[in-house]
Amino acid sequence: MSILAIAFGFLVGVSLGLLGGGGSTLAVPILVYVAGYDPKQAIAMSLAIVGTTALLGTLTHASHGRVSWRVAGFFAPLAMVGTFGGARLSVYFSGTAQLTLFAIVMLVGAGLMFRGRLSDSLPEEDLRPSLSVAWSAAIAAQGLVVGVLTGLVGVGGGFMIVPALVLLAGLSMKDAVGTSLLIIALKSAAGFVGYLSLVEVDWIFLALFTAVAAMGILVGTRLVRHFSQSGLRRSFAVFLVVMAVLILYQNRDVFFFSGV
């Protein structure tokens, strides 16, 4: 058990508290390169860690009425099916291939952060009180795709879910963030269950890491008002690019078709 890795769990929580996301992009590299876990173990445990901390965030938003249970009830089951399926599909990918895909997703997330999240310019008010067939189909597709990606590489996918909930479901930004956390918590749980029969979980380490991350998210939510969100996102985007490049370099053999 790595005490240093557990300490880093605090940063995972702070990231979630400050940015509303980014937990898995920290958790997976920490679990692989600091704690020394196999990539598949790291992805599985990151789902439990991010899911638990997202649930804590959901409870806070729900207490202020910022969760759309109707939209979550439609989106979450599809995302859960996709995540469970992605976890089961992971047996067809080597750990190297999964980390490479993870790094690519990090670069996509960094690109969105550099530009300023799409959600920054999205409307604050509910513009679509009812879901049409077309919007419902779009949400269903989004849920499945994000779910499969979550199952394969362990990302929560908040940077994709929030804009979808605003643009497709017509939620306000505040409701979209709260609803997204609930969806992340539920689909992360589904993905973790999907991995249980595939990997060995270090339950003691997982519990300690998650507890420290939970403390971190409480601190992060208190600190958030003292920082510029645009500055935080751009700084984190730089970090994502650096980490993604390092991961791609560490797993460069996959580009020579030696690991899929």
Side-chain angles (χ1 to χ4, degrees):
M1 181 185 301
S2 173
I3 301 299
L4 179 60
I6 292 174
F8 275 134
F10 188 76
L11 297 179
V12 173
V14 171
S15 169
L16 285 167
L18 285 174
L19 300 168
S24 57
T25 57
L26 285 172
V28 172
I30 289 171
L31 293 175
V32 172
Y33 298 112
V34 180
Y37 287 101
D38 174 86
K40 292 184 185 297
Q41 287 179 295
I43 289 171
M45 289 194 289
S46 75
L47 289 170
I49 293 162
V50 172
T52 301
T53 50
L55 181 59
L56 290 175
T58 300
L59 296 176
T60 300
H61 282 277
S63 67
H64 292 89
R66 296 195 295 261
V67 175
S68 173
W69 303 101
R70 177 177 67 95
V71 173
F74 179 78
F75 193 106
L78 295 166
M80 291 171 72
V81 169
T83 305
F84 184 86
R88 306 305 291 185
L89 284 173
S90 68
V91 299
Y92 299 106
F93 292 79
S94 68
T96 297
Q98 284 179 278
L99 285 178
T100 300
L101 181 58
F102 177 81
I104 292 171
V105 172
M106 289 174 73
L107 290 175
V108 172
L112 293 176
M113 287 184 173
F114 272 127
R115 293 175 54 193
R117 286 191 318 183
L118 172 64
S119 54
D120 288 344
S121 60
L122 294 177
E124 285 289 334
E125 301 301 326
D126 187 344
L127 300 181
R128 299 184 191 93
S130 61
L131 297 177
S132 68
V133 174
W135 292 121
S136 298
I139 291 176
Q142 177 88 358
L144 287 171
V145 170
V146 173
V148 171
L149 192 60
T150 297
L152 276 176
V153 300
V155 295
F159 67 90
M160 293 182 282
I161 296 174
V162 171
L165 294 180
V166 175
L167 290 173
L168 302 180
L171 298 184
S172 69
M173 267 301 303
K174 292 179 181 179
D175 288 355
V177 170
T179 305
S180 173
L181 287 173
L182 175 58
I183 293 167
I184 289 171
L186 291 173
K187 69 190 182 69
S188 294
F192 183 63
V193 170
Y195 272 102
L196 281 179
S197 63
L198 304 177
V199 301
E200 182 178 347
V201 176
D202 186 339
W203 294 101
I204 295 177
F205 177 90
L206 178 60
L208 290 173
F209 194 102
T210 303
V212 172
M215 289 188 286
I217 196 172
L218 295 177
V219 173
T221 53
R222 289 179 178 273
L223 290 176
V224 67
R225 63 179 178 272
H226 300 296
F227 293 91
S228 161
Q229 284 298 290
S230 60
L232 279 173
R233 282 197 304 275
R234 287 182 172 83
S235 297
F236 193 72
V238 172
F239 171 79
L240 289 183
V241 171
V242 172
M243 286 300 302
V245 170
L246 289 175
I247 292 172
L248 287 172
Y249 177 77
Q250 289 285 336
N251 298 277
R252 58 192 180 280
D253 288 348
V254 75
F255 297 108
F256 298 97
F257 306 101
S258 61
V260 179

